[in-house]
PDB file of all heavy atoms in Angstrom:
ATOM      1  N   ALA A   1      13.462   2.341   0.702  1.00 97.00           N
ATOM      2  CA  ALA A   1      13.346   1.334  -0.351  1.00 97.00           C
ATOM      3  C   ALA A   1      12.517   1.895  -1.498  1.00 97.00           C
ATOM      4  O   ALA A   1      11.549   2.626  -1.277  1.00 97.00           O
ATOM      5  CB  ALA A   1      12.694   0.061   0.188  1.00 97.00           C
ATOM      6  N   LEU A   2      12.906   1.536  -2.714  1.00 97.00           N
ATOM      7  CA  LEU A   2      12.105   1.803  -3.905  1.00 97.00           C
ATOM      8  C   LEU A   2      11.867   0.463  -4.584  1.00 97.00           C
ATOM      9  O   LEU A   2      12.780  -0.115  -5.165  1.00 97.00           O
ATOM     10  CB  LEU A   2      12.822   2.761  -4.870  1.00 97.00           C
ATOM     11  CG  LEU A   2      12.430   4.245  -4.759  1.00 97.00           C
ATOM     12  CD1 LEU A   2      12.890   4.802  -3.430  1.00 97.00           C
ATOM     13  CD2 LEU A   2      13.019   5.044  -5.910  1.00 97.00           C
ATOM     14  N   ILE A   3      10.649  -0.012  -4.483  1.00 96.00           N
ATOM     15  CA  ILE A   3      10.305  -1.346  -4.966  1.00 96.00           C
ATOM     16  C   ILE A   3       9.662  -1.214  -6.336  1.00 96.00           C
ATOM     17  O   ILE A   3       8.585  -0.630  -6.476  1.00 96.00           O
ATOM     18  CB  ILE A   3       9.355  -2.031  -3.979  1.00 96.00           C
ATOM     19  CG1 ILE A   3      10.005  -2.097  -2.588  1.00 96.00           C
ATOM     20  CG2 ILE A   3       8.970  -3.425  -4.470  1.00 96.00           C
ATOM     21  CD1 ILE A   3       9.029  -2.352  -1.466  1.00 96.00           C
ATOM     22  N   HIS A   4      10.326  -1.731  -7.352  1.00 94.00           N
ATOM     23  CA  HIS A   4       9.803  -1.677  -8.709  1.00 94.00           C
ATOM     24  C   HIS A   4       8.914  -2.898  -8.933  1.00 94.00           C
ATOM     25  O   HIS A   4       9.325  -4.032  -8.697  1.00 94.00           O
ATOM     26  CB  HIS A   4      10.947  -1.667  -9.724  1.00 94.00           C
ATOM     27  CG  HIS A   4      10.511  -1.338 -11.110  1.00 94.00           C
ATOM     28  ND1 HIS A   4      10.021  -2.279 -11.980  1.00 94.00           N
ATOM     29  CD2 HIS A   4      10.479  -0.149 -11.782  1.00 94.00           C
ATOM     30  CE1 HIS A   4       9.718  -1.708 -13.128  1.00 94.00           C
ATOM     31  NE2 HIS A   4       9.985  -0.407 -13.041  1.00 94.00           N
ATOM     32  N   GLU A   5       7.690  -2.664  -9.360  1.00 90.00           N
ATOM     33  CA  GLU A   5       6.730  -3.744  -9.514  1.00 90.00           C
ATOM     34  C   GLU A   5       5.835  -3.480 -10.716  1.00 90.00           C
ATOM     35  O   GLU A   5       5.760  -2.350 -11.204  1.00 90.00           O
ATOM     36  CB  GLU A   5       5.886  -3.873  -8.239  1.00 90.00           C
ATOM     37  CG  GLU A   5       5.214  -2.583  -7.824  1.00 90.00           C
ATOM     38  CD  GLU A   5       4.636  -2.648  -6.421  1.00 90.00           C
ATOM     39  OE1 GLU A   5       4.947  -3.585  -5.671  1.00 90.00           O
ATOM     40  OE2 GLU A   5       3.871  -1.745  -6.071  1.00 90.00           O
ATOM     41  N   PRO A   6       5.149  -4.482 -11.220  1.00 80.00           N
ATOM     42  CA  PRO A   6       4.286  -4.284 -12.390  1.00 80.00           C
ATOM     43  C   PRO A   6       3.178  -3.285 -12.112  1.00 80.00           C
ATOM     44  O   PRO A   6       2.655  -3.209 -10.996  1.00 80.00           O
ATOM     45  CB  PRO A   6       3.713  -5.676 -12.652  1.00 80.00           C
ATOM     46  CG  PRO A   6       4.656  -6.618 -11.979  1.00 80.00           C
ATOM     47  CD  PRO A   6       5.189  -5.884 -10.787  1.00 80.00           C
ATOM     48  N   ALA A   7       2.801  -2.530 -13.138  1.00 68.00           N
ATOM     49  CA  ALA A   7       1.683  -1.594 -13.006  1.00 68.00           C
ATOM     50  C   ALA A   7       0.380  -2.363 -12.946  1.00 68.00           C
ATOM     51  O   ALA A   7       0.242  -3.449 -13.479  1.00 68.00           O
ATOM     52  CB  ALA A   7       1.667  -0.622 -14.175  1.00 68.00           C
ATOM     53  N   SER A   8      -0.601  -1.776 -12.273  1.00 57.00           N
ATOM     54  CA  SER A   8      -1.910  -2.401 -12.135  1.00 57.00           C
ATOM     55  C   SER A   8      -2.991  -1.429 -12.568  1.00 57.00           C
ATOM     56  O   SER A   8      -2.899  -0.225 -12.294  1.00 57.00           O
ATOM     57  CB  SER A   8      -2.146  -2.814 -10.672  1.00 57.00           C
ATOM     58  OG  SER A   8      -3.500  -3.132 -10.464  1.00 57.00           O
ATOM     59  N   PRO A   9      -4.036  -1.907 -13.217  1.00 46.00           N
ATOM     60  CA  PRO A   9      -5.144  -1.012 -13.572  1.00 46.00           C
ATOM     61  C   PRO A   9      -5.780  -0.352 -12.362  1.00 46.00           C
ATOM     62  O   PRO A   9      -6.450   0.678 -12.483  1.00 46.00           O
ATOM     63  CB  PRO A   9      -6.137  -1.936 -14.274  1.00 46.00           C
ATOM     64  CG  PRO A   9      -5.328  -3.106 -14.733  1.00 46.00           C
ATOM     65  CD  PRO A   9      -4.257  -3.279 -13.704  1.00 46.00           C
ATOM     66  N   ALA A  10      -5.591  -0.947 -11.199  1.00 50.00           N
ATOM     67  CA  ALA A  10      -6.203  -0.394  -9.992  1.00 50.00           C
ATOM     68  C   ALA A  10      -5.381   0.729  -9.377  1.00 50.00           C
ATOM     69  O   ALA A  10      -5.783   1.307  -8.379  1.00 50.00           O
ATOM     70  CB  ALA A  10      -6.399  -1.507  -8.957  1.00 50.00           C
ATOM     71  N   ASP A  11      -4.201   1.019  -9.948  1.00 47.00           N
ATOM     72  CA  ASP A  11      -3.379   2.088  -9.403  1.00 47.00           C
ATOM     73  C   ASP A  11      -4.121   3.424  -9.454  1.00 47.00           C
ATOM     74  O   ASP A  11      -5.021   3.624 -10.252  1.00 47.00           O
ATOM     75  CB  ASP A  11      -2.063   2.207 -10.172  1.00 47.00           C
ATOM     76  CG  ASP A  11      -1.099   1.092  -9.820  1.00 47.00           C
ATOM     77  OD1 ASP A  11      -1.145   0.626  -8.681  1.00 47.00           O
ATOM     78  OD2 ASP A  11      -0.314   0.687 -10.697  1.00 47.00           O
ATOM     79  N   LEU A  12      -3.689   4.334  -8.606  1.00 46.00           N
ATOM     80  CA  LEU A  12      -4.288   5.667  -8.599  1.00 46.00           C
ATOM     81  C   LEU A  12      -4.124   6.318  -9.967  1.00 46.00           C
ATOM     82  O   LEU A  12      -3.158   6.059 -10.689  1.00 46.00           O
ATOM     83  CB  LEU A  12      -3.603   6.521  -7.528  1.00 46.00           C
ATOM     84  CG  LEU A  12      -3.811   6.019  -6.096  1.00 46.00           C
ATOM     85  CD1 LEU A  12      -2.847   6.718  -5.161  1.00 46.00           C
ATOM     86  CD2 LEU A  12      -5.239   6.278  -5.663  1.00 46.00           C
ATOM     87  N   PRO A  13      -5.057   7.196 -10.365  1.00 48.00           N
ATOM     88  CA  PRO A  13      -5.015   7.776 -11.715  1.00 48.00           C
ATOM     89  C   PRO A  13      -3.698   8.440 -12.059  1.00 48.00           C
ATOM     90  O   PRO A  13      -3.231   8.336 -13.183  1.00 48.00           O
ATOM     91  CB  PRO A  13      -6.159   8.798 -11.687  1.00 48.00           C
ATOM     92  CG  PRO A  13      -7.104   8.266 -10.652  1.00 48.00           C
ATOM     93  CD  PRO A  13      -6.235   7.619  -9.606  1.00 48.00           C
ATOM     94  N   ASP A  14      -3.086   9.136 -11.101  1.00 48.00           N
ATOM     95  CA  ASP A  14      -1.832   9.815 -11.428  1.00 48.00           C
ATOM     96  C   ASP A  14      -0.623   8.964 -11.093  1.00 48.00           C
ATOM     97  O   ASP A  14       0.523   9.404 -11.223  1.00 48.00           O
ATOM     98  CB  ASP A  14      -1.732  11.163 -10.704  1.00 48.00           C
ATOM     99  CG  ASP A  14      -1.644  11.008  -9.188  1.00 48.00           C
ATOM    100  OD1 ASP A  14      -1.816   9.883  -8.700  1.00 48.00           O
ATOM    101  OD2 ASP A  14      -1.371  12.012  -8.522  1.00 48.00           O
ATOM    102  N   GLY A  15      -0.866   7.730 -10.643  1.00 50.00           N
ATOM    103  CA  GLY A  15       0.240   6.817 -10.391  1.00 50.00           C
ATOM    104  C   GLY A  15       1.003   7.072  -9.125  1.00 50.00           C
ATOM    105  O   GLY A  15       2.068   6.527  -8.912  1.00 50.00           O
ATOM    106  N   SER A  16       0.487   7.909  -8.237  1.00 50.00           N
ATOM    107  CA  SER A  16       1.204   8.192  -7.006  1.00 50.00           C
ATOM    108  C   SER A  16       0.234   8.292  -5.850  1.00 50.00           C
ATOM    109  O   SER A  16      -0.978   8.364  -6.030  1.00 50.00           O
ATOM    110  CB  SER A  16       2.004   9.496  -7.129  1.00 50.00           C
ATOM    111  OG  SER A  16       1.118  10.587  -7.308  1.00 50.00           O
ATOM    112  N   SER A  17       0.778   8.297  -4.642  1.00 47.00           N
ATOM    113  CA  SER A  17      -0.048   8.453  -3.463  1.00 47.00           C
ATOM    114  C   SER A  17      -0.577   9.882  -3.386  1.00 47.00           C
ATOM    115  O   SER A  17      -0.076  10.778  -4.069  1.00 47.00           O
ATOM    116  CB  SER A  17       0.762   8.131  -2.208  1.00 47.00           C
ATOM    117  OG  SER A  17       1.059   6.765  -2.154  1.00 47.00           O
ATOM    118  N   PRO A  18      -1.617  10.125  -2.568  1.00 45.00           N
ATOM    119  CA  PRO A  18      -2.136  11.490  -2.434  1.00 45.00           C
ATOM    120  C   PRO A  18      -1.021  12.467  -2.090  1.00 45.00           C
ATOM    121  O   PRO A  18      -0.066  12.110  -1.392  1.00 45.00           O
ATOM    122  CB  PRO A  18      -3.140  11.369  -1.274  1.00 45.00           C
ATOM    123  CG  PRO A  18      -3.551   9.933  -1.304  1.00 45.00           C
ATOM    124  CD  PRO A  18      -2.345   9.170  -1.735  1.00 45.00           C
ATOM    125  N   PRO A  19      -1.084  13.681  -2.578  1.00 49.00           N
ATOM    126  CA  PRO A  19       0.002  14.641  -2.351  1.00 49.00           C
ATOM    127  C   PRO A  19       0.120  14.997  -0.875  1.00 49.00           C
ATOM    128  O   PRO A  19      -0.818  14.831  -0.094  1.00 49.00           O
ATOM    129  CB  PRO A  19      -0.434  15.857  -3.180  1.00 49.00           C
ATOM    130  CG  PRO A  19      -1.912  15.728  -3.272  1.00 49.00           C
ATOM    131  CD  PRO A  19      -2.193  14.256  -3.344  1.00 49.00           C
ATOM    132  N   PRO A  20       1.297  15.487  -0.453  1.00 48.00           N
ATOM    133  CA  PRO A  20       1.502  15.815   0.952  1.00 48.00           C
ATOM    134  C   PRO A  20       0.533  16.832   1.522  1.00 48.00           C
ATOM    135  O   PRO A  20       0.378  16.912   2.730  1.00 48.00           O
ATOM    136  CB  PRO A  20       2.947  16.361   0.967  1.00 48.00           C
ATOM    137  CG  PRO A  20       3.601  15.699  -0.193  1.00 48.00           C
ATOM    138  CD  PRO A  20       2.518  15.608  -1.245  1.00 48.00           C
ATOM    139  N   GLU A  21      -0.147  17.628   0.656  1.00 47.00           N
ATOM    140  CA  GLU A  21      -1.135  18.567   1.218  1.00 47.00           C
ATOM    141  C   GLU A  21      -2.317  17.820   1.817  1.00 47.00           C
ATOM    142  O   GLU A  21      -3.039  18.347   2.661  1.00 47.00           O
ATOM    143  CB  GLU A  21      -1.659  19.497   0.123  1.00 47.00           C
ATOM    144  CG  GLU A  21      -0.582  20.279  -0.624  1.00 47.00           C
ATOM    145  CD  GLU A  21      -0.007  19.460  -1.770  1.00 47.00           C
ATOM    146  OE1 GLU A  21      -0.757  19.119  -2.708  1.00 47.00           O
ATOM    147  OE2 GLU A  21       1.191  19.163  -1.718  1.00 47.00           O
ATOM    148  N   ASN A  22      -2.522  16.590   1.374  1.00 53.00           N
ATOM    149  CA  ASN A  22      -3.623  15.793   1.887  1.00 53.00           C
ATOM    150  C   ASN A  22      -3.324  15.408   3.340  1.00 53.00           C
ATOM    151  O   ASN A  22      -2.216  15.019   3.674  1.00 53.00           O
ATOM    152  CB  ASN A  22      -3.781  14.525   1.026  1.00 53.00           C
ATOM    153  CG  ASN A  22      -5.070  13.791   1.332  1.00 53.00           C
ATOM    154  OD1 ASN A  22      -5.346  13.450   2.463  1.00 53.00           O
ATOM    155  ND2 ASN A  22      -5.838  13.543   0.281  1.00 53.00           N
ATOM    156  N   ASP A  23      -4.314  15.550   4.220  1.00 54.00           N
ATOM    157  CA  ASP A  23      -4.093  15.272   5.638  1.00 54.00           C
ATOM    158  C   ASP A  23      -3.967  13.776   5.928  1.00 54.00           C
ATOM    159  O   ASP A  23      -3.510  13.393   6.998  1.00 54.00           O
ATOM    160  CB  ASP A  23      -5.241  15.850   6.480  1.00 54.00           C
ATOM    161  CG  ASP A  23      -5.207  17.372   6.527  1.00 54.00           C
ATOM    162  OD1 ASP A  23      -4.111  17.935   6.332  1.00 54.00           O
ATOM    163  OD2 ASP A  23      -6.258  17.981   6.752  1.00 54.00           O
ATOM    164  N   ARG A  24      -4.375  12.936   5.014  1.00 70.00           N
ATOM    165  CA  ARG A  24      -4.339  11.497   5.270  1.00 70.00           C
ATOM    166  C   ARG A  24      -2.910  10.978   5.197  1.00 70.00           C
ATOM    167  O   ARG A  24      -2.213  11.144   4.206  1.00 70.00           O
ATOM    168  CB  ARG A  24      -5.199  10.760   4.243  1.00 70.00           C
ATOM    169  CG  ARG A  24      -5.357   9.277   4.559  1.00 70.00           C
ATOM    170  CD  ARG A  24      -6.248   8.603   3.543  1.00 70.00           C
ATOM    171  NE  ARG A  24      -5.620   8.569   2.218  1.00 70.00           N
ATOM    172  CZ  ARG A  24      -6.230   8.114   1.130  1.00 70.00           C
ATOM    173  NH1 ARG A  24      -7.478   7.705   1.184  1.00 70.00           N
ATOM    174  NH2 ARG A  24      -5.583   8.113  -0.027  1.00 70.00           N
ATOM    175  N   GLU A  25      -2.462  10.334   6.271  1.00 79.00           N
ATOM    176  CA  GLU A  25      -1.123   9.777   6.304  1.00 79.00           C
ATOM    177  C   GLU A  25      -1.114   8.412   5.619  1.00 79.00           C
ATOM    178  O   GLU A  25      -2.108   7.682   5.643  1.00 79.00           O
ATOM    179  CB  GLU A  25      -0.669   9.605   7.763  1.00 79.00           C
ATOM    180  CG  GLU A  25      -0.434  10.914   8.499  1.00 79.00           C
ATOM    181  CD  GLU A  25       0.816  11.618   8.002  1.00 79.00           C
ATOM    182  OE1 GLU A  25       1.863  10.964   7.874  1.00 79.00           O
ATOM    183  OE2 GLU A  25       0.738  12.829   7.719  1.00 79.00           O
ATOM    184  N   PRO A  26       0.014   8.047   5.006  1.00 92.00           N
ATOM    185  CA  PRO A  26       0.136   6.676   4.508  1.00 92.00           C
ATOM    186  C   PRO A  26       0.058   5.693   5.672  1.00 92.00           C
ATOM    187  O   PRO A  26       0.304   6.052   6.825  1.00 92.00           O
ATOM    188  CB  PRO A  26       1.531   6.652   3.866  1.00 92.00           C
ATOM    189  CG  PRO A  26       1.920   8.090   3.708  1.00 92.00           C
ATOM    190  CD  PRO A  26       1.214   8.842   4.775  1.00 92.00           C
ATOM    191  N   ALA A  27      -0.272   4.453   5.381  1.00 92.00           N
ATOM    192  CA  ALA A  27      -0.374   3.441   6.435  1.00 92.00           C
ATOM    193  C   ALA A  27      -0.096   2.074   5.836  1.00 92.00           C
ATOM    194  O   ALA A  27      -0.350   1.833   4.648  1.00 92.00           O
ATOM    195  CB  ALA A  27      -1.761   3.460   7.082  1.00 92.00           C
ATOM    196  N   TRP A  28       0.414   1.193   6.666  1.00 94.00           N
ATOM    197  CA  TRP A  28       0.615  -0.184   6.236  1.00 94.00           C
ATOM    198  C   TRP A  28      -0.729  -0.890   6.159  1.00 94.00           C
ATOM    199  O   TRP A  28      -1.610  -0.649   6.986  1.00 94.00           O
ATOM    200  CB  TRP A  28       1.522  -0.918   7.222  1.00 94.00           C
ATOM    201  CG  TRP A  28       2.929  -0.418   7.195  1.00 94.00           C
ATOM    202  CD1 TRP A  28       3.513   0.422   8.092  1.00 94.00           C
ATOM    203  CD2 TRP A  28       3.913  -0.702   6.201  1.00 94.00           C
ATOM    204  NE1 TRP A  28       4.810   0.695   7.735  1.00 94.00           N
ATOM    205  CE2 TRP A  28       5.084   0.006   6.567  1.00 94.00           C
ATOM    206  CE3 TRP A  28       3.927  -1.466   5.044  1.00 94.00           C
ATOM    207  CZ2 TRP A  28       6.256  -0.046   5.815  1.00 94.00           C
ATOM    208  CZ3 TRP A  28       5.090  -1.528   4.290  1.00 94.00           C
ATOM    209  CH2 TRP A  28       6.231  -0.830   4.680  1.00 94.00           C
ATOM    210  N   PRO A  29      -0.915  -1.749   5.177  1.00 94.00           N
ATOM    211  CA  PRO A  29      -2.170  -2.514   5.116  1.00 94.00           C
ATOM    212  C   PRO A  29      -2.282  -3.440   6.308  1.00 94.00           C
ATOM    213  O   PRO A  29      -1.271  -3.885   6.863  1.00 94.00           O
ATOM    214  CB  PRO A  29      -2.044  -3.305   3.799  1.00 94.00           C
ATOM    215  CG  PRO A  29      -0.577  -3.373   3.536  1.00 94.00           C
ATOM    216  CD  PRO A  29       0.008  -2.110   4.085  1.00 94.00           C
ATOM    217  N   PRO A  30      -3.497  -3.742   6.751  1.00 94.00           N
ATOM    218  CA  PRO A  30      -3.650  -4.638   7.905  1.00 94.00           C
ATOM    219  C   PRO A  30      -3.129  -6.032   7.573  1.00 94.00           C
ATOM    220  O   PRO A  30      -3.198  -6.474   6.426  1.00 94.00           O
ATOM    221  CB  PRO A  30      -5.167  -4.661   8.145  1.00 94.00           C
ATOM    222  CG  PRO A  30      -5.765  -4.256   6.838  1.00 94.00           C
ATOM    223  CD  PRO A  30      -4.800  -3.306   6.198  1.00 94.00           C
ATOM    224  N   PRO A  31      -2.590  -6.737   8.576  1.00 95.00           N
ATOM    225  CA  PRO A  31      -2.081  -8.079   8.310  1.00 95.00           C
ATOM    226  C   PRO A  31      -3.213  -9.051   7.994  1.00 95.00           C
ATOM    227  O   PRO A  31      -4.350  -8.865   8.436  1.00 95.00           O
ATOM    228  CB  PRO A  31      -1.385  -8.454   9.624  1.00 95.00           C
ATOM    229  CG  PRO A  31      -2.076  -7.628  10.662  1.00 95.00           C
ATOM    230  CD  PRO A  31      -2.436  -6.341   9.986  1.00 95.00           C
ATOM    231  N   ASP A  32      -2.883 -10.069   7.244  1.00 96.00           N
ATOM    232  CA  ASP A  32      -3.831 -11.138   6.926  1.00 96.00           C
ATOM    233  C   ASP A  32      -3.746 -12.181   8.031  1.00 96.00           C
ATOM    234  O   ASP A  32      -2.735 -12.884   8.139  1.00 96.00           O
ATOM    235  CB  ASP A  32      -3.475 -11.751   5.578  1.00 96.00           C
ATOM    236  CG  ASP A  32      -4.418 -12.880   5.181  1.00 96.00           C
ATOM    237  OD1 ASP A  32      -5.268 -13.275   6.002  1.00 96.00           O
ATOM    238  OD2 ASP A  32      -4.281 -13.392   4.057  1.00 96.00           O
ATOM    239  N   PRO A  33      -4.761 -12.297   8.875  1.00 97.00           N
ATOM    240  CA  PRO A  33      -4.685 -13.254   9.985  1.00 97.00           C
ATOM    241  C   PRO A  33      -4.397 -14.679   9.529  1.00 97.00           C
ATOM    242  O   PRO A  33      -3.646 -15.416  10.199  1.00 97.00           O
ATOM    243  CB  PRO A  33      -6.061 -13.148  10.654  1.00 97.00           C
ATOM    244  CG  PRO A  33      -6.548 -11.776  10.300  1.00 97.00           C
ATOM    245  CD  PRO A  33      -6.023 -11.521   8.914  1.00 97.00           C
ATOM    246  N   ALA A  34      -4.966 -15.081   8.400  1.00 97.00           N
ATOM    247  CA  ALA A  34      -4.733 -16.440   7.918  1.00 97.00           C
ATOM    248  C   ALA A  34      -3.269 -16.647   7.559  1.00 97.00           C
ATOM    249  O   ALA A  34      -2.692 -17.719   7.828  1.00 97.00           O
ATOM    250  CB  ALA A  34      -5.620 -16.724   6.713  1.00 97.00           C
ATOM    251  N   ASP A  35      -2.655 -15.620   6.987  1.00 97.00           N
ATOM    252  CA  ASP A  35      -1.244 -15.723   6.624  1.00 97.00           C
ATOM    253  C   ASP A  35      -0.377 -15.822   7.876  1.00 97.00           C
ATOM    254  O   ASP A  35       0.577 -16.617   7.931  1.00 97.00           O
ATOM    255  CB  ASP A  35      -0.837 -14.521   5.792  1.00 97.00           C
ATOM    256  CG  ASP A  35       0.590 -14.614   5.303  1.00 97.00           C
ATOM    257  OD1 ASP A  35       0.966 -15.652   4.726  1.00 97.00           O
ATOM    258  OD2 ASP A  35       1.346 -13.636   5.496  1.00 97.00           O
ATOM    259  N   VAL A  36      -0.688 -15.029   8.887  1.00 97.00           N
ATOM    260  CA  VAL A  36       0.075 -15.091  10.136  1.00 97.00           C
ATOM    261  C   VAL A  36      -0.070 -16.463  10.783  1.00 97.00           C
ATOM    262  O   VAL A  36       0.901 -17.040  11.283  1.00 97.00           O
ATOM    263  CB  VAL A  36      -0.373 -13.977  11.104  1.00 97.00           C
ATOM    264  CG1 VAL A  36       0.341 -14.112  12.446  1.00 97.00           C
ATOM    265  CG2 VAL A  36      -0.103 -12.607  10.495  1.00 97.00           C
ATOM    266  N   ARG A  37      -1.272 -17.005  10.743  1.00 97.00           N
ATOM    267  CA  ARG A  37      -1.475 -18.345  11.320  1.00 97.00           C
ATOM    268  C   ARG A  37      -0.689 -19.390  10.552  1.00 97.00           C
ATOM    269  O   ARG A  37      -0.113 -20.307  11.155  1.00 97.00           O
ATOM    270  CB  ARG A  37      -2.961 -18.691  11.328  1.00 97.00           C
ATOM    271  CG  ARG A  37      -3.773 -17.922  12.362  1.00 97.00           C
ATOM    272  CD  ARG A  37      -5.148 -18.538  12.543  1.00 97.00           C
ATOM    273  NE  ARG A  37      -5.968 -18.381  11.346  1.00 97.00           N
ATOM    274  CZ  ARG A  37      -6.792 -17.350  11.138  1.00 97.00           C
ATOM    275  NH1 ARG A  37      -6.881 -16.382  12.046  1.00 97.00           N
ATOM    276  NH2 ARG A  37      -7.533 -17.287  10.049  1.00 97.00           N
ATOM    277  N   ARG A  38      -0.655 -19.277   9.230  1.00 97.00           N
ATOM    278  CA  ARG A  38       0.100 -20.241   8.427  1.00 97.00           C
ATOM    279  C   ARG A  38       1.578 -20.220   8.796  1.00 97.00           C
ATOM    280  O   ARG A  38       2.256 -21.249   8.748  1.00 97.00           O
ATOM    281  CB  ARG A  38      -0.067 -19.950   6.933  1.00 97.00           C
ATOM    282  CG  ARG A  38      -1.348 -20.489   6.327  1.00 97.00           C
ATOM    283  CD  ARG A  38      -1.308 -20.415   4.805  1.00 97.00           C
ATOM    284  NE  ARG A  38      -1.234 -19.041   4.317  1.00 97.00           N
ATOM    285  CZ  ARG A  38      -2.300 -18.289   4.048  1.00 97.00           C
ATOM    286  NH1 ARG A  38      -3.516 -18.766   4.232  1.00 97.00           N
ATOM    287  NH2 ARG A  38      -2.152 -17.051   3.605  1.00 97.00           N
ATOM    288  N   ARG A  39       2.064 -19.045   9.153  1.00 96.00           N
ATOM    289  CA  ARG A  39       3.486 -18.893   9.493  1.00 96.00           C
ATOM    290  C   ARG A  39       3.733 -18.996  10.992  1.00 96.00           C
ATOM    291  O   ARG A  39       4.846 -18.741  11.456  1.00 96.00           O
ATOM    292  CB  ARG A  39       4.009 -17.568   8.966  1.00 96.00           C
ATOM    293  CG  ARG A  39       4.054 -17.502   7.447  1.00 96.00           C
ATOM    294  CD  ARG A  39       4.642 -16.223   6.929  1.00 96.00           C
ATOM    295  NE  ARG A  39       3.774 -15.072   7.185  1.00 96.00           N
ATOM    296  CZ  ARG A  39       3.939 -14.184   8.147  1.00 96.00           C
ATOM    297  NH1 ARG A  39       4.943 -14.304   8.975  1.00 96.00           N
ATOM    298  NH2 ARG A  39       3.103 -13.183   8.305  1.00 96.00           N
TER     299      ARG A  39
END
């Protein structure tokens, strides 16, 4: 998927995730417990 969304001032300076040389893997954000309870 390629999700087009509005830009945010909080985006990374170069507009992308850390490069693949970086050892840190991407990850899904933790779920919001309140949202899960609402649903």
Side-chain angles (χ1 to χ4, degrees):
L2 264 67
I3 303 162
H4 192 275
E5 54 192 13
S8 166
D11 285 329
L12 296 167
D14 66 351
S16 64
S17 291
E21 304 85 63
N22 191 306
D23 289 336
R24 188 178 67 185
E25 291 289 313
W28 291 102
D32 180 353
D35 184 51
V36 175
R37 288 193 293 269
R38 279 192 296 270
R39 293 183 291 101

